[in-house]
Amino acid sequence: ILGVAQMIFGVILSFLNHSYFKKPLNVFGEFIPQLVFLVAIMGYLVVMIFIKWLAFDSTTSSVAPSLLITLIDMFLLKSHILPLYPGQQGVETLLLIVAVLCVPWMLLMKPAILWMRNKNLHKLGDGVTARNVRAVIHSSEERVNIVDEDELGVASSGPEEFREECSEEAEESFDIGETMIHSTIHTIEYCLSCISHTASYLRLWALSLAHAELSEVLWDMVLRIGIASSTYLGAVLTFFVFVGWAIATVIILLVMEGLSAFLHTLRLHWVEFQSKFYVGTGSAFTPFSFNAILETLDE
């Protein structure tokens, strides 16, 4: 539940990125279908967890349906032997159709709009001149820059020459094949990651099982030996056994497992969470340096 909630929060953070950089096409072509796809599958799985908690207790848990099998049957469009709620088959079919429609939405919408935008810009010449102000539209980006002709350095050239230059620049800057390849890779990666990243959060469950087993081993094979003895020798032995048990507890359960849990959690933040919104294509980090400042001033 916490893993799905964190991934949904990561997708929401991508909306803030798109809004900050003023990219509405990414909002409608990436953010919305990604959020709908994730909620329709993994969000529905979280809802079923709560429904199962409310519908079954300790006395009826043996007959409760498996949520993993239920999710698999949802993709296979199979009917459930014991549904969790009335109308479950229809709801799952609707969610599956919505999730499937999100795939071509993510795959084709943005490349198609960029292709049509670039095609229209070729017809218009990518530039419009009015009152010594020229609007230059970059087909590879989602903004329009309005600059003065003198700043462009093309004041002496006429509208026809300017349109030819902009058309050549737009043709070089936009490639439908490259855009489709990038969109295909991004779509496949996201759809597969919704399943794999959710399963990756189970590593924390595995760590809890390992911690329980190690705790039981240290109790049964170390501390219990001294406590089980009822003689005076057992009382003395308990003292030394407790020292060994305490050392093993600190080294194994606290240090080793604490470090392991920290590394796994760090990995979940870096891969499963940040991959939903962090791209890493911005400005490279430049550390503060007086030497760099002095060199810039000298130049």
Side-chain angles (χ1 to χ4, degrees):
I1 295 173
L2 295 178
V4 174
Q6 187 181 41
M7 289 191 295
I8 292 176
F9 178 62
V11 176
I12 293 175
L13 289 181
S14 69
F15 169 75
L16 300 179
N17 287 339
H18 301 327
S19 300
Y20 176 80
F21 291 107
K22 295 180 175 57
K23 295 183 177 181
L25 182 56
N26 288 354
V27 174
F28 294 100
E30 294 181 5
F31 165 72
I32 295 179
Q34 288 178 358
L35 183 62
V36 172
F37 183 87
L38 183 60
V39 172
I41 298 178
M42 295 306 161
Y44 175 67
L45 179 61
V46 172
V47 172
M48 285 196 299
I49 292 176
F50 285 102
I51 294 177
K52 185 176 180 179
W53 285 349
L54 297 175
F56 300 91
D57 54 19
S58 59
T59 59
T60 58
S61 59
S62 58
V63 297
S66 171
L67 296 184
L68 180 60
I69 301 301
T70 302
L71 190 64
I72 295 176
D73 291 340
M74 172 182 171
F75 285 98
L76 298 179
L77 297 177
K78 296 175 61 177
S79 59
H80 305 293
I81 300 177
L82 181 61
L84 290 174
Y85 57 91
Q88 180 178 353
Q89 187 68 34
V91 172
E92 292 180 353
T93 302
L94 177 62
L95 292 176
L96 183 61
I97 293 175
V98 171
V100 171
L101 291 177
C102 288
V103 177
W105 186 355
M106 288 185 285
L107 177 64
L108 301 175
M109 179 179 176
K110 184 176 178 179
I113 292 178
L114 290 177
W115 177 76
M116 290 187 294
R117 180 183 299 176
N118 183 74
K119 185 177 179 181
N120 293 333
L121 292 181
H122 275 292
K123 293 180 180 179
L124 297 176
D126 293 353
V128 179
T129 303
R131 296 183 180 178
N132 294 328
V133 176
R134 179 166 296 157
V136 182
I137 306 174
H138 300 272
S139 58
S140 60
E141 302 176 0
E142 299 171 15
R143 65 178 185 269
V144 177
N145 294 334
I146 300 179
V147 295
D148 189 80
E149 279 194 47
D150 297 333
E151 296 179 2
L152 289 173
V154 292
S156 59
S157 61
E160 296 299 330
E161 291 81 357
F162 176 74
R163 291 184 179 183
E164 292 177 0
E165 294 175 1
C166 292
S167 299
E168 294 175 358
E169 180 181 356
E171 184 177 357
E172 294 176 358
S173 61
F174 180 80
D175 185 0
I176 183 61
E178 181 180 353
T179 305
M180 280 300 304
I181 292 175
H182 181 271
S183 179
T184 302
I185 295 175
H186 185 72
T187 302
I188 295 176
E189 179 184 8
Y190 181 81
C191 293
L192 295 180
S193 66
C194 286
I195 308 270
S196 61
H197 287 180
T198 304
S200 185
Y201 280 91
L202 294 176
R203 66 181 67 243
L204 301 179
W205 169 70
L207 286 175
S208 66
L209 291 181
H211 177 80
E213 292 298 324
L214 288 174
S215 301
E216 185 176 357
V217 168
L218 291 178
W219 168 259
D220 291 337
M221 299 183 64
V222 181
L223 187 61
R224 192 174 181 179
I225 296 176
I227 297 178
S229 178
S230 59
T231 62
Y232 292 104
L233 180 62
V236 177
L237 181 63
T238 302
F239 175 79
F240 295 99
V241 169
F242 177 80
V243 173
W245 173 82
I247 294 175
T249 299
V250 172
I251 294 177
I252 297 177
L253 295 184
L254 298 182
V255 178
M256 292 182 59
E257 286 202 2
L259 179 61
S260 177
F262 167 75
L263 293 177
H264 281 289
T265 306
L266 185 65
R267 192 260 184 194
L268 290 173
H269 279 78
W270 179 255
V271 178
E272 279 72 18
F273 174 58
Q274 292 191 16
S275 63
K276 298 296 183 294
F277 63 93
Y278 179 74
V279 180
T281 57
S283 302
F285 172 72
T286 303
F288 180 79
S289 174
F290 284 107
N291 293 330
I293 296 176
L294 295 176
E295 291 177 0
T296 304
L297 293 177
D298 294 338
E299 294 178 357

